[in-house]
Amino acid sequence: MTSDATKTEAVTAETEELRNLIADAHVVLWDFDGPICRLFAGHSAERVADELVRWLEGQGQHGVLTGPERQSQDPHVVLRAVDRRHPGSDLVTELEARLTEEELRAVPSAQPTPYADPLIRTWKALGSRLAVTTNNSPLVVREYLDGRDLGGCFAPHVYGRTRDLKPLKPDPHCLNRALSATGAAPDRALMIGDTPADHEASLRAGVPFLGYARNARKEKLLRESGATVVVDSLEPVLRTLRDGL
């Protein structure tokens, strides 16, 4: 069998698996930053992480982070590192509040993920229940969704970060909350996420997973985590819905 034929068979198999994922999903659980929008498209996540590090140092917490954590471009890495060393502390509470403020500042310049808005509206119109399951603040999610006139598609099912950081993904806590609130069995739901943590959370919750990767690096990470169905655009998902399965 030629290499081209092998690739064609792989694409066909994945397309069929995508159709099955969509057909079986009565509830769709969306990660927020990635599948719905790029929250930090115009408000650098790297700068936010750096400001959190500088704030920590200003509090005399120079040694609370390792070198790689201090250099991280992900503010969630900084937050979770501090929580591991000082769980439930005032330091963590203040740091989480500061991150929420930065996420809220990012909302006006957030970039909608292509095809996400019509996909959300189409799924809702077809009778599916939708929920957001995210490590971002629920305040931020609602601010963004309301600004896109999408809040009604999800309300009241937005499950995000709280002051207790232990159940952040890859812990399946927010997925389980969504399943419980919507009354959905895990195998009748679908999680759309863009990180290995999303995939692990879906596995632990027993929920089928659809990976969204906006670039080759993200696709590689998802594939390495074991995700078998990964799309680089939400357009084929929308097309499959509109074709009536």
Side-chain angles (χ1 to χ4, degrees), residues 14 194-200 203 209 211 213 215-230:
E14 187 162 317
D194 70 333
T195 67
D198 292 327
H199 182 235
E200 183 179 339
L203 288 175
F209 182 76
N215 56 40
R217 181 185 67 83
K218 283 188 168 287
E219 180 176 2
K220 182 173 184 290
L221 291 172
L222 284 171
R223 297 285 187 189
E224 288 175 347
S225 77
T228 57
V229 183
V230 180

Side-chain angles (χ1 to χ4, degrees), residues 20 42 57 61 72 87 95 110 186 190 203 211 214 223 227 239:
N20 292 336
E57 291 177 346
Q61 299 291 332
S72 174
L95 195 65
L190 175 64
L203 288 175
R214 65 181 175 85
R223 297 285 187 189
R239 179 167 18 95

Side-chain angles (χ1 to χ4, degrees), residues 1 18 22 26 32 37 57 60 64 70 93 98 103 120 125 133 146 151 171 177 199 205 232 235 244:
M1 184 177 293
L18 172 62
I22 293 170
H26 292 179
F32 174 63
C37 70
E57 291 177 346
V64 72
R70 193 176 294 108
T93 298
R98 286 176 174 271
E103 289 176 338
I120 288 166
T133 51
D146 288 346
D171 190 289
R177 287 180 64 201
H199 182 235
D232 61 6
E235 188 275 334

Side-chain angles (χ1 to χ4, degrees), residues 167-177 200-206:
L168 292 177
K169 291 180 289 185
D171 190 289
H173 178 71
C174 62
L175 281 72
N176 289 333
R177 287 180 64 201
E200 183 179 339
S202 74
L203 288 175
R204 292 169 63 181

Side-chain angles (χ1 to χ4, degrees), residues 16-25 123 189-190 208-210 229:
E16 185 62 26
E17 194 169 353
L18 172 62
R19 291 174 64 86
N20 292 336
L21 285 174
I22 293 170
D24 291 341
W123 238 321
L190 175 64
F209 182 76
L210 171 61
V229 183

Side-chain angles (χ1 to χ4, degrees), residues 18 52 66 162 167 214 233:
L18 172 62
L52 293 180
T66 65
T162 67
R214 65 181 175 85
S233 168

